[in-house]
Structure formats: structure tokens, C-alpha cells
């Protein structure tokens, strides 16, 4: 369902509900004097519904956010009571001379009455958001399964027997070692890269340590290729052992930095930083000056594909910030692991 269709469905739902209320007043003449108060209450309930539907529940109705959720619910109730008071006890008396509560209404009665009327639409907004979120998660899961199946089929079409590949690379390593140690080291690192790519776990995740090793091997191959004209710094802080991450998730950012960045000038190196401020939080940053010359004719990894993969694999558990001022390119990725 598109965003426009969803908005149309909401408008239709509220319109039908307002029409149903109006039909009740049309059939019961004795209650027509309460029509204005009923519709002002409906307006306040509608505002409370969307406060929860668009802001409170999408942000806080999740594991580990109970204190924020309780504050958000209290804020919704406070907004409901305040808006209802302004409409029914300030605006209506000043304009048409009617109000909902008599002057002798006690505070306890006013509070209980508002809790009663405010709770129902609060629960309704949570239920509607939860239902829509469940359908959205199911669609994303189905799409992820389809994409995974397509990737597996594509892989099977081009699969090389891993044992044949490793045995061949080991042979090349042994032969290259007799000729050149740097060449032998390159073959060994290439073997490690291929091994990581072909031995990904069934659930698509890998050890964070293996992902970091992959990045180091990838950069080492580039250093062998460009020798003393390759200036890239990579810093790893925190314990990466025992953590798991979606396989090959970080390499596209490094690939793009090497493809579009300046790597041959020592005064402006590409800087790569991976930090774990807590055991379950990862911060990955890449800084590079932007090169004015295209160094690689391939298209590389598109930003849209990266965002799509993050949305599917880490929904609500990631933040991707990319800044480009024409001179510097900065990428910051934050992930909640586990």
C-alpha cells in the first residue's frame, strides 16, 4: 500500500466514523444539543490518536524503551486533557456560550472522566500502528526471503567448487613464494577473502572479527597493488570477539571510499574507524577527500542498495548519516548488534 493510499484509508475511516455519529444525532432528536461537544471530543481524540500513531508508538513501543514509552503515554494523556479543556471550557464558552462540565465539577471527576475517554483512542492508536507494523514487517520478511532465494540461485549458477579454488590458490601460493614473497602474500590474502565470501553462515551473518579481518585483507591487497602510493588508515577500538554482523555489510563503504576518494596523498588519507562503545553498539566511520578523477570504471555499490539492505536487516536498529560537501565525503553508520 502506498503512502497516498494509506492516507486515503485513514480519511475514509474517520469520515465514516463521523458520519455514523452524525446519523445517531439525526435519529435521536433529543441528543442534537450534544452534537458540538461530541465532535469537539472526536477532534481531540483524533489528535491524541495521531500523536501516538505517528510519534510515541513508532519510537518507543519496542524492547528496552519502556521508560520512554510510559513518558510518551503520559504526554499523550496530558495533551488530550489540555486540548479538550481549551476547546470545551475556554473556546466554546467564549464563542457560543456552552461548555461540557458544570462549574461545580470536582477535579477527581474531571480527571477520571478524561482518563476514561482518553484511554480508548490511545489503545486504538497503538493497535492500529502495531497491526500496520506487523503487516509491514511481514512484507519486508517476504521480500527479504525472495531476494535471498534469488541471490542463492544466482550464486548456484556461478558457483566454483570451494575446495578446487582453495587448492588452486594454495598451489599458486607455494609457487609464488619461490619467486616473490609480496606476490605470495597477495595470493594468501586473496585466498582469505574468497574463503570468507564463500563460507558465509546460513543466516547471512558472520563474526565481526572475520568482517574486520576481511577489511584488513582487502586494504592489504590494495597496498600491494599501489605500493607506496596508498594512504589509508584503519583504526579498530573495542572488543570485536563474540559479536556477529551481517556478512559483507561494511565493505561497500570502504569500496566507495577507495573508488571515489583520494588515496595517493599522505596529507589527506582515507580514514576508516570502527568502534564499539558498548558490546552491543557499533560505530563505523569513513572519511575521504573526493577525487576529481574516476579511478574505477565499474559502478560500485549504490547508496540505495546499502540503505535497502540496512532497512531489511536492521529495521529500527541502525542510523546511516552521509555528508558530502563536494570536497570531503563522510559516512557514519551506527548499528545495534545482537
Amino acid at each position: 500500500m502506498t503512502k497516498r493510499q494509506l492516507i486515503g484509508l485513514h480519511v475514509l475511516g474517520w469520515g465514516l466514523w463521523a458520519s455514523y455519529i452524525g446519523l445517531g444525532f439525526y435519529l435521536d432528536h433529543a441528543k442534537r444539543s450534544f452534537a458540538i461537544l461530541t465532535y469537539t471530543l472526536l477532534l481531540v481524540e483524533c489528535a491524541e490518536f495521531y500523536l501516538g500513531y505517528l510519534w510515541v508508538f513508532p519510537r518507543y513501543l519496542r524492547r528496552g524503551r519502556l521508560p520512554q514509552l510510559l513518558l510518551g503515554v503520559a504526554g499523550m494523556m496530558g495533551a488530550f486533557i489540555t486540548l479538550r479543556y481549551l476547546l470545551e471550557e475556554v473556546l466554546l464558552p467564549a464563542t457560543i456560550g456552552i461548555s461540557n462540565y458544570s462549574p461545580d465539577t470536582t477535579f477527581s471527576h474531571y480527571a477520571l472522566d478524561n482518563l476514561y475517554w482518553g484511554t480508548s483512542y490511545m489503545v486504538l492508536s497503538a493497535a492500529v500502528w502495531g497491526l500496520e507494523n506487523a503487516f509491514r514487517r511481514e512484507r519486508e520478511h517476504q521480500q527479504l526471503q525472495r531476494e535471498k532465494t534469488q541471490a542463492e540461485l544466482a550464486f548456484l549458477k556461478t558457483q566454483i567448487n570451494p575446495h578446487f579454488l582453495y587448492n588452486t590458490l594454495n598451489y599458486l601460493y607455494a609457487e609464488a613464494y619461490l619467486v616473490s614473497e609480496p606476490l605470495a602474500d597477495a595470493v594468501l590474502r586473496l585466498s582469505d577473502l574468497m574463503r570468507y565470501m564463500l563460507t558465509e553462515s546460513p543466516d547471512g551473518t558472520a563474526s565481526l572479527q572475520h568482517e574486520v579481518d576481511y577489511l584488513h585483507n582487502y586494504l592489504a591487497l590494495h597496498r600491494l597493488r599501489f605500493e607506496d602510493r596508498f594512504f589509508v588508515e584503519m583504526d579498530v577500538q573495542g572488543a570485536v570477539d563474540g559479536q556477529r554482523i551481517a556478512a559483507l555489510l561494511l565493505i561497500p563503504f570502504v569500496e566507495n571510499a577507495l573508488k571515489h576518494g583520494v588515496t595517493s596523498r599522505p596529507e589527506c588519507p582515507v580514514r576508516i574507524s570502527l568502534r564499539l562503545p558498548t558490546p552491543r553498539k557499533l560505530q563505523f566511520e569513513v572519511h575521504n577527500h573526493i577525487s576529481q578523477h574516476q579511478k574505477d570504471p565499474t559502478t560500485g555499490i549504490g547508496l540505495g542498495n546499502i540503505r535497502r539492505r540496512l532497512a531489511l536487516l536492521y529495521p529500527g536498529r541502525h542510523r546511516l548519516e552521509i555528508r558530502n560537501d563536494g570536497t570531503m565525503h563522510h559516512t557514519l553508520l551506527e548499528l545495534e548488534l545482537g
Side-chain angles (χ1 to χ4, degrees), residues 301-309:
I301 306 299
L303 178 60
N305 291 339
I306 297 174
R307 291 189 185 277
R308 178 61 182 160
R309 192 176 182 210

Side-chain angles (χ1 to χ4, degrees), residues 296-332:
D296 190 341
T298 60
T299 57
I301 306 299
L303 178 60
N305 291 339
I306 297 174
R307 291 189 185 277
R308 178 61 182 160
R309 192 176 182 210
L310 287 169
L312 290 172
L313 298 177
Y314 294 91
R317 298 190 293 122
H318 76 276
R319 181 172 75 93
L320 178 60
E321 178 183 311
I322 297 178
R323 297 196 302 270
N324 187 331
D325 61 5
T327 302
M328 290 290 299
H329 189 87
H330 172 227
T331 300
L332 170 62

Side-chain angles (χ1 to χ4, degrees), residues 63-277:
R63 185 179 302 176
R65 296 290 184 89
L66 181 59
Q68 296 93 327
L69 177 62
L70 294 177
L71 288 175
V73 168
M76 290 174 62
M77 186 58 68
F80 173 84
I81 294 175
T82 301
L83 184 56
R84 189 183 185 193
Y85 179 82
L86 292 175
L87 284 177
E88 296 181 349
E89 307 305 317
V90 177
L91 181 62
L92 291 184
T95 54
I96 59 178
I98 64 172
S99 64
N100 190 21
Y101 295 92
S102 61
D104 60 345
T105 300
T106 63
F107 176 80
S108 60
H109 175 78
Y110 185 82
L112 288 174
D113 187 64
N114 279 275
L115 284 174
Y116 171 79
W117 289 105
T119 301
S120 58
Y121 279 78
M122 184 187 302
V123 174
L124 180 63
S125 67
V128 172
W129 180 83
L131 185 63
E132 289 184 6
N133 189 56
F135 279 117
R136 182 167 53 250
R137 290 289 182 86
E138 180 62 24
R139 288 195 304 269
E140 291 177 350
H141 176 72
Q142 292 176 354
Q143 182 167 351
L144 182 60
Q145 289 298 111
R146 288 194 299 268
E147 292 180 356
K148 183 179 179 181
T149 300
Q150 292 171 357
E152 289 174 349
L153 291 175
F155 175 74
L156 289 174
K157 292 179 180 178
T158 60
Q159 187 177 26
I160 300 175
N161 188 305
H163 296 292
F164 169 78
L165 177 62
Y166 300 148
N167 290 338
T168 302
L169 288 173
N170 287 335
Y171 168 76
L172 293 176
Y173 170 75
E175 293 295 317
Y177 192 82
L178 300 174
V179 178
S180 168
E181 287 191 19
L183 177 59
D185 184 57
V187 173
L188 185 61
R189 292 186 181 277
L190 178 61
S191 176
D192 291 337
L193 291 178
M194 298 302 296
R195 188 183 302 275
Y196 179 64
M197 294 173 66
L198 294 175
T199 57
E200 177 185 326
S201 64
D203 64 353
T205 65
S207 163
L208 180 57
Q209 181 64 65
H210 290 166
E211 183 82 0
V212 171
D213 291 342
Y214 182 91
L215 295 179
H216 280 304
N217 287 328
Y218 182 82
L219 294 176
L221 283 175
H222 276 272
R223 287 192 180 93
L224 289 171
R225 178 184 174 188
F226 295 103
E227 297 181 346
D228 59 349
R229 294 181 293 106
F230 186 73
F231 299 94
V232 177
E233 302 171 358
M234 180 170 172
D235 178 50
V236 178
Q237 299 178 18
V240 296
D241 292 335
Q243 309 291 347
R244 297 193 69 80
I245 190 174
L248 302 172
L249 183 67
L250 305 180
I251 189 62
F253 300 106
V254 177
E255 288 181 342
N256 285 344
L258 300 190
K259 175 186 174 183
H260 300 291
V262 177
T263 60
S264 59
R265 292 165 54 188
E267 68 273 15
C268 52
V270 175
R271 290 188 171 90
I272 303 168
S273 171
L274 188 148
R275 298 185 300 275
L276 278 84

